[in-house]
Amino acid sequence: MTDILPPLPEEFLAKLEQLVPADRLDAVRASYCVEKPTSFRVNTLKAGIDEVRAELEAEGFQLQPVDWFQGAFTLMDNSQRRALTETAAFYDGRIYIQNLSSMIAPLLLAPQPEETVLDLAAAPGGKTLLMAAMMDNRGTLNAVEAVKGRYFKLKANLEQQGASMVRTYLTDGRSVGSKCPEMFDRVLLDAPCSSEARFSRLDPASWAHWSPRKVKETAHKQKRLLQSALYSLKPGGCLIYCTCALSPEEDEMIVHAQLHKFGDAIEVEPVELPFDNWLPGVTQWGKKTLDPQVERTVRILPSAEMDGFYISKLRKHRSF
């Protein structure tokens, strides 16, 4: 079947060969040819995990618990996806369908009740909603989105899921650092990106707008967004920068640029993941040698179960 599917862009495949060890490359390539299982999590702002699981299993859904995140499940039979979106649990906002990789960043950021937290590029709101649940709707969670259509989708999702403590702002995230300097205990920046980790040979539209030039243009915006996020972070605070891109231009090189600009005022902290389909950040890309700290970042590899993802965790030690 894979032989008759349309091929991914050659420049992208060449980049994969540079990033992924030979013994893992075939599995990564194969992940772009399969439909990933549907995953979701229980919205604990509205319901208990056990009661929702019992309700769905009584309705005939075959659920596989995710061993590293209580309250997250995958459908053992992916043909049940549409039926899942027609359940009362879905319509009531008691569950939220979300790729497993997308759940990782909020878990690593670990926002606490009563903190002041920022989600700098929030739509459609999956990570915002998870953070609201982790904070038990207590504290302040600010969600920023620059695109009007996506902003209203974000607001609708927050309302449906009962995330009442979230304040939403339709504004360019690149301006937040100057408007709200050192205001937040924790910041999440899931930056707009080339979405390389979500390419699918089953859907050629998923890479229709990709090009090396587009990656470069996106990286320029990401650099300014991360700088804004760092200015908005309190000294001592924690920031997660992540993308669903695989290109180091959008990942390690963005983090490297901030380390070069701010020096030892910020630090990359190690990231630990509860599964093995990931690689440490690269410290050499082309002719560019990067700050050794970027090796502490991680690139989740696309697999049959998960989308790829890049995650870095930064600590701000002092004002700048």
Side-chain angles (χ1 to χ4, degrees), residues 96 121-129 145 150-151 153-158 198:
Y96 188 86
K127 297 177 184 67
T128 319
L129 292 165
E145 175 55 46
R150 289 172 57 82
Y151 172 78
K153 177 64 174 177
L154 166 68
K155 285 180 68 70
N157 281 336
L158 294 171
R198 296 179 183 170

Side-chain angles (χ1 to χ4, degrees), residues 213-251:
R213 180 178 177 180
K214 187 70 173 179
V215 168
K216 186 175 180 179
E217 292 173 354
T218 304
H220 180 70
K221 182 177 183 179
Q222 291 163 336
K223 191 179 297 183
R224 294 181 61 193
L225 279 168
L226 181 51
Q227 182 174 306
S228 176
L230 285 165
Y231 276 119
S232 74
L233 186 65
K234 294 178 181 178
C238 177
L239 183 151
I240 294 288
Y241 172 77
C242 56
T243 76
C244 56
L246 298 179
S247 292
E249 292 89 343
E250 300 182 62
D251 297 335

Side-chain angles (χ1 to χ4, degrees), residues 37-90:
T38 298
S39 54
F40 69 92
R41 57 177 179 76
V42 175
N43 175 18
T44 54
L45 294 177
K46 282 196 166 185
I49 296 168
D50 292 341
E51 67 183 77
V52 172
R53 178 181 184 178
E55 174 185 334
L56 292 175
E57 289 182 336
E59 294 177 10
F61 291 96
Q62 302 175 55
L63 307 182
Q64 176 66 49
V66 176
D67 57 12
W68 47 265
F69 183 17
Q70 185 180 20
F73 300 88
T74 58
L75 292 179
M76 298 177 68
D77 179 359
N78 216 36
S79 69
Q80 294 185 312
R81 179 185 175 94
R82 179 172 179 177
L84 184 67
T85 66
E86 296 171 345
T87 61
F90 180 84

Side-chain angles (χ1 to χ4, degrees), residues 181-215:
E182 298 188 350
M183 182 178 292
F184 302 102
D185 299 298
R186 302 177 199 257
V187 177
L188 174 64
L189 173 55
D190 179 13
C193 68
S194 61
S195 301
E196 293 164 337
R198 296 179 183 170
F199 288 175
S200 171
R201 291 179 63 189
L202 304 175
D203 178 20
S206 65
W207 72 82
H209 302 291
W210 183 90
S211 69
R213 180 178 177 180
K214 187 70 173 179
V215 168

Side-chain angles (χ1 to χ4, degrees), residues 242-314:
C242 56
T243 76
C244 56
L246 298 179
S247 292
E249 292 89 343
E250 300 182 62
D251 297 335
E252 290 95 336
M253 293 179 70
I254 303 300
V255 176
H256 167 84
Q258 307 308 319
L259 292 167
H260 179 73
K261 180 178 180 64
F262 297 116
D264 61 4
I266 61 173
E267 180 183 8
V268 180
E269 295 190 339
V271 171
E272 296 183 6
L273 297 177
F275 43 80
D276 61 7
N277 60 304
W278 61 272
L279 297 171
V282 298
T283 57
Q284 185 77 35
W285 187 245
K287 297 180 180 179
K288 182 77 170 180
T289 299
L290 306 181
D291 190 296
Q293 291 189 63
V294 299
E295 191 172 15
R296 302 173 192 165
T297 68
V298 298
R299 179 172 284 102
I300 299 173
L301 296 176
S303 70
E305 294 78 30
M306 301 176 70
D307 287 341
F309 222 71
Y310 173 81
I311 303 178
S312 59
K313 184 178 183 181
L314 305 176

